[in-house]
Amino acid sequence: MAEGFTYNIETIDMLTQAEVYGKMLVEMGHRNKNIVVLTADLMRSNKTGEFFRAFPERSFNVGIAEQNLFGVAAGLARAGKIPFVSTFAAFASMRACEQVRTDIAYNYLPVKIVATHSGLSMGTGGPTHFATEDIAIMRSFANMTVIVPADAIETARAVSASLEWPGPVYMRIGRGLEPAAYENDRYDFQVGKSVLMRDGSDVTVISCGMAVLAAIETSRSLEQEGLSVRVVNMHTIKPIDRDAIVKAARETRYIITAEEHNIIGGLGSAVAEVLAEEGLPVKLKRLGIPDEYSEIGYPEFLYNRYNLDPPSMSAAINRLREQKAF
Amino acid sequence: MGGISLAQTTTKHLTDRKELEKFLKRKVADAQKKVLELARIAMGGHLGGGLSMIDVTVALYHHVMNIDPANPAWPHRDRFILSKGHGAIALDAILAQVGYFPEDKLETFNKLDSPFGMHTNAHSTPGIEHSTGSLGHGLSVAVGMALGARLDRADWRVFCLLGDGELQEGSVWEAFMSGSHYKLGNLIAVIDRNGFSLDGRTEEVMALEPLAEKLRAFQWNVLEVGGHDMAQLLNIFNELPPPSSETPTAIIANTEKGHGVSFMVNNAKWHYGAIDSDLEAQAIKEIDASVAEA
């Protein structure tokens, strides 16, 4: 993975070119006149700026006021619009938690939340700007669909799919600079249907977001040691792909989950719930942020600290394999 | 006002202003009595804030707003958001009055599987535009709806009824800020200024005054009115700026918590309460007497 980088407010626009989200919005905006885009003083950071330039009339920057952001989005949806709302994941899930839950999820409105800078991706921004609880929060909201794309291509497909998906969607993405996890974009993205990134028979890594690429690299490197590691990209946390989890449990008996999130309440918990309900005899290890507030540092440093980089993931797999399966 | 005025057909025959006021006052009394009845049969209800908002809401639904109760989704209708969602006991009674559903359905109020509960429910109650209850949410939703109307170049208005206590929520001021920023002349906020929240007088719990000055500083067109004076209410609503205008309007309706029932008026104890048939009878006698006087 790339070394830590430096940037300032002036170069954020340059970096946003790497992110396809803004471009997707513009493309969809031409096709669907009901799409409106909202943000809370972060259009430079969250890639919505392109839509603002292309469709100023359908773009609303409400200033630093996240509660109003999601309330206004609910009202626009009530008036027949399809709002795409972007802010940092920490603010979408926590600062405006109740507006998202009550005005959007409870009222079952087609508001699509694309939350950026999730997990530890703000790096030196520190825990005030980390979102390591958002999956847990959002998946506990009835009506809410939760999607965690692995890279830019998948983000584009998820954004497009969420337009057709009824009801509210919470999508968490990172900085928008995530290296590609997919080798090509010819795959079938379906909400609620995981993607088998690499097949394997000894152990399965079920991952989402940035952890997918780390899992793929881990699988490749362990292959050299003769271990066959399956990698499942669980891009939709809710509704979760139960079949893929059951299949992995039956066929590999060892499961590791990996996510940029507190190990409580996120992907790992969702997978554990399925395994327990199905009564499947597996060894399970959840990788992610242990139940603590993260250190401050460049993401690459933090991923290493929290076992989300390939060497740590390999070590975790080997430790798990040392345990006896039932 | 633009569009076809269907709700006004219920009051259209009242060309004489005095007759109109008399008609609306009778509707207010009926709604007051219905609220008391519901609080009795449901063994509890938000009586204080329910009774304070009735005159304003009756004026809106029976005369001011363009609505079609037979077709709740009529695209040209004016929208009403009850930000103080606990006022559902009064709003649901008034929705029944204007014909969104038969009045006898209200008897299930607050019971299991009823369409009607303590707070408004858009999923189950025809005429409710948005489910509310948690305070400080409604005005933001109303801002979004008004923006939606602007995008469609539609001439319907959004009315948002707020409790004064909920103005203590910071989110309300975010919404006020955005209402004037987006120049939403199609947005009308009515503040039910009954002076009380659950714990007591707003000015003692957390002072709101000088409220009108604060709203003017947020660049709203601010009007004040006696919230139980039907003549004043009609004057104010008749003179609303056109929806195409660029300044949102805030109407501070000075009301009484528990209005119309002597033992409830300005008594924080009756924010939420249940009454027995004796107290109900006493209250109804007072309400009937006040209509007879008018």
Side-chain angles (χ1 to χ4, degrees):
Chain A
M1 242 174 257
E3 283 297 297
F5 62 94
T6 57
Y7 59 84
N8 59 40
I9 195 82
E10 295 307 321
T11 53
I12 286 177
D13 273 345
M14 223 171 68
L15 299 174
T16 64
Q17 302 305 313
E19 175 59 86
V20 284
Y21 170 48
K23 294 186 193 303
M24 273 304 299
L25 281 181
V26 174
E27 198 184 296
M28 295 193 310
H30 283 292
R31 292 201 309 269
N32 190 326
K33 304 288 177 219
N34 282 327
I35 292 176
V36 293
V37 172
L38 296 92
T39 189
D41 197 47
L42 287 173
M43 69 172 182
R44 292 165 67 93
S45 306
N46 65 26
K47 292 79 179 165
T48 53
E50 283 202 49
F51 189 94
F52 274 69
R53 285 186 284 277
F55 305 103
E57 204 188 36
R58 288 194 264 149
S59 304
F60 305 99
N61 186 345
V62 302
I64 308 163
E66 289 79 13
Q67 297 177 81
N68 195 39
L69 174 72
F70 289 100
V72 169
L76 278 158
R78 281 277 179 215
K81 308 300 169 193
I82 305 170
F84 279 79
V85 191
S86 288
T87 183
F88 289 171
F91 309 148
S93 61
M94 293 182 284
R95 187 60 171 263
C97 179
E98 201 203 17
Q99 275 73 14
V100 172
R101 182 266 201 182
T102 301
D103 296 335
I104 294 170
Y106 170 44
N107 277 281
Y108 196 64
L109 295 175
V111 175
K112 319 299 177 182
I113 301 163
V114 181
T116 66
H117 300 72
S118 63
L120 305 173
S121 65
M122 273 290 265
T124 53
T128 63
H129 282 60
F130 292 158
T132 52
E133 305 84 359
D134 57 334
I135 297 175
I137 293 166
M138 291 291 168
R139 81 184 183 93
S140 72
F141 295 169
N143 294 337
M144 187 61 86
T145 292
V146 181
I147 300 176
V148 186
D151 63 10
I153 294 285
E154 192 160 86
T155 300
R157 287 169 157 256
V159 166
S160 172
S162 71
L163 180 62
E164 312 298 328
W165 188 255
V169 172
Y170 177 79
M171 191 183 309
R172 57 130 56 179
I173 60 180
R175 289 169 295 180
L177 291 168
E178 288 68 29
Y182 286 93
E183 284 169 9
N184 64 61
D185 63 0
R186 288 187 297 279
Y187 74 101
D188 184 26
F189 181 91
Q190 282 179 46
V191 176
K193 183 96 181 72
S194 64
V195 180
L196 183 65
M197 307 298 283
R198 278 175 72 84
D199 206 353
S201 53
D202 295 327
V203 57
T204 301
V205 182
I206 300 177
S207 54
C208 63
M210 57 67 58
V212 174
L213 178 58
I216 291 168
E217 289 174 358
T218 302
S219 165
R220 285 206 183 100
S221 93
L222 287 179
E223 196 173 38
Q224 313 292 323
E225 298 171 23
L227 198 66
S228 171
V229 178
R230 179 181 302 188
V231 177
V232 172
N233 172 12
M234 192 62 72
H235 55 63
T236 308
I237 314 294
K238 185 188 168 190
I240 201 155
D241 185 350
R242 298 179 75 94
D243 293 348
I245 297 169
V246 170
K247 195 165 185 286
R250 291 215 168 105
E251 293 173 5
T252 71
R253 293 175 303 130
Y254 291 89
I255 291 181
I256 286 212
T257 60
E259 63 191 312
E260 204 179 348
H261 189 276
N262 191 316
I263 55 166
I264 297 173
L267 169 68
S269 293
V271 169
E273 288 161 14
V274 173
L275 294 172
E277 281 178 350
E278 298 288 341
L280 291 162
V282 290
K283 283 287 173 191
L284 172 71
K285 174 69 185 170
R286 294 172 297 161
L287 298 184
I289 324 305
D291 190 23
E292 67 183 45
Y293 293 101
S294 165
E295 297 285 318
I296 297 170
Y298 287 113
E300 292 72 23
F301 164 82
L302 298 175
Y303 296 152
N304 173 262
R305 171 67 58 94
Y306 297 114
N307 296 322
L308 292 171
D309 66 344
S312 325
M313 230 178 247
S314 296
I317 288 170
N318 285 327
R319 278 198 301 276
L320 188 71
R321 292 274 300 169
E322 282 162 18
Q323 296 179 25
K324 254 212 150 21
F326 296 100
Chain B
M1 300 183 81
I4 312 159
S5 178
L6 289 171
Q8 286 175 24
T9 58
T10 58
T11 51
K12 205 170 64 180
H13 59 291
L14 302 163
T15 47
D16 179 77
R17 175 61 186 263
K18 287 288 160 213
E19 284 299 308
L20 173 63
E21 283 174 26
K22 218 167 135 186
F23 173 87
L24 294 174
K25 281 178 190 168
R26 272 202 307 275
K27 293 294 176 191
V28 167
D30 289 348
Q32 287 172 320
K33 289 191 268 188
K34 182 58 75 177
V35 164
L36 293 164
E37 182 194 335
L38 295 180
R40 175 178 52 79
I41 61 178
M43 291 179 292
H46 283 96
L47 286 164
L51 291 170
S52 68
M53 63 177 267
I54 287 178
D55 304 72
V56 165
T57 314
V58 160
L60 287 172
Y61 272 92
H62 281 279
H63 184 69
V64 179
M65 292 199 300
N66 292 312
I67 50 170
D68 180 3
N71 179 14
W74 179 46
H76 301 287
R77 72 194 184 280
D78 287 330
R79 271 65 162 177
F80 179 86
I81 299 279
L82 182 65
S83 191
K84 46 173 283 186
H86 58 280
I89 192 167
L91 179 56
D92 290 346
I94 293 163
L95 291 176
Q97 273 188 345
V98 294
Y100 280 97
F101 44 82
E103 212 159 294
D104 56 14
K105 280 201 163 187
L106 285 169
E107 285 164 20
T108 60
F109 189 82
N110 255 7
K111 300 209 162 60
L112 188 64
D113 291 332
S114 170
F116 316 106
M118 194 185 290
H119 300 107
T120 64
N121 186 343
H123 295 292
S124 62
T125 310
I128 297 290
E129 299 283 358
H130 191 74
S131 301
T132 55
S134 181
L135 297 176
H137 289 235
L139 192 59
S140 292
V141 177
V143 165
M145 287 172 131
L147 282 173
R150 278 285 151 85
L151 282 176
D152 291 340
R153 294 181 171 74
D155 65 354
W156 44 269
R157 285 192 172 95
V158 186
F159 291 86
C160 180
L161 181 61
L162 299 104
D164 51 357
E166 70 173 316
L167 300 188
Q168 290 159 352
E169 292 279 5
S171 55
V172 171
W173 298 93
E174 296 181 2
F176 276 125
M177 210 187 307
S178 62
S180 50
H181 177 85
Y182 290 122
K183 303 186 191 306
L184 299 174
N186 54 352
L187 175 61
I188 318 293
V190 184
I191 296 156
D192 180 13
R193 183 75 173 112
N194 63 34
F196 283 86
S197 58
L198 210 159
D199 276 347
R201 292 183 188 276
T202 57
E203 298 316 287
E204 287 165 16
V205 174
M206 182 50 64
L208 294 168
E209 295 297 336
L211 182 55
E213 278 179 47
K214 285 175 184 167
L215 294 166
R216 283 194 189 98
F218 275 66
Q219 304 292 310
W220 281 56
N221 171 33
V222 181
L223 305 168
E224 289 195 66
V225 63
H228 302 301
D229 184 328
M230 193 52 77
Q232 276 191 43
L233 285 169
L234 291 178
N235 285 343
I236 286 247
F237 286 130
N238 283 339
E239 285 161 21
L240 287 177
S244 58
S245 65
E246 296 202 334
T247 309
T249 298
I251 299 173
I252 300 174
N254 291 304
T255 59
E256 287 179 332
K257 195 146 180 165
H259 176 74
V261 181
S262 60
F263 56 88
M264 291 183 187
V265 167
N266 292 335
N267 185 345
K269 211 176 82 182
W270 286 99
H271 173 89
Y272 184 94
I275 53 171
D276 59 20
S277 341
D278 290 346
L279 280 179
E280 188 192 6
Q282 187 190 331
I284 286 173
K285 206 183 285 175
E286 290 180 19
I287 291 164
D288 284 337
S290 75
V291 178
E293 273 169 36

